[in-house]
Amino acid sequence: MARRARLGLGLVGALLLAAGARAESVACHVTYGGATQVIEARPVDSPYGVTPTAIGSFFLFRIVFRREPAELASIKLYAYADRDSGPTLLHQASYAYPASNGAVDGFSGRHAVYEPMRDGELQYWCELKMAAGK
């Protein structure tokens, strides 16, 4: 009976750890044209399938959040100009994982990215989030 109880507790612990792992995300607060939207990303196994989010008609914003393998664990943020000829990288930032949120403006601090051809400005800051109760 004691063995079954230990097994049950072990299973519950593993499920809680898995639920906690799924609950972690990166949330970026992106401001363009006076409007702010929050773009959230969960961990991915490969960066190649992560598509950018359109911000207005000038920008694309992409978050690549990897926790495994440990040597590749990082958070990478990209801002692109959405040009007729295709996306053009304007800004890229890399952060080690796990990242520590600062007192203001998350782990990234506040960034301003400028698109020179259309004179657009995008601002963002990002934080590492855990689901409530985690």
Side-chain angles (χ1 to χ4, degrees):
M1 190 68 168
R3 181 179 172 175
R4 188 179 299 172
R6 281 194 306 261
L7 182 61
L9 286 175
L11 182 58
V12 169
L15 289 172
L16 287 174
L17 283 173
R22 284 192 300 272
E24 191 174 37
S25 66
V26 171
C28 293
H29 305 257
V30 181
T31 302
Y32 173 73
T36 300
Q37 70 184 83
V38 178
I39 302 169
E40 202 158 336
R42 302 249 185 252
V44 296
D45 293 327
S46 171
Y48 301 110
V50 179
T51 58
T53 300
I55 308 294
S57 59
F58 297 147
F59 291 100
L60 300 169
F61 192 81
R62 181 173 176 242
I63 306 167
V64 177
F65 176 22
R66 295 185 74 182
R67 292 189 303 197
E68 296 178 352
E71 63 272 10
L72 298 176
S74 63
I75 300 166
K76 294 187 179 184
L77 310 170
Y78 305 85
Y80 303 89
D82 191 10
R83 299 208 171 120
D84 293 336
S85 60
T88 302
L89 183 64
L90 298 173
H91 172 81
Q92 191 265 329
S94 297
Y95 300 91
Y97 174 81
S100 296
N101 290 329
V104 179
D105 298 333
F107 66 80
S108 68
R110 187 170 302 269
H111 292 264
V113 180
Y114 299 95
E115 200 289 324
M117 295 188 67
R118 298 178 188 136
D119 200 29
E121 178 188 70
L122 174 141
Q123 293 184 7
Y124 77 87
W125 64 274
C126 302
E127 62 183 322
L128 193 59
K129 289 181 64 176
M130 296 296 285
K134 302 290 182 217

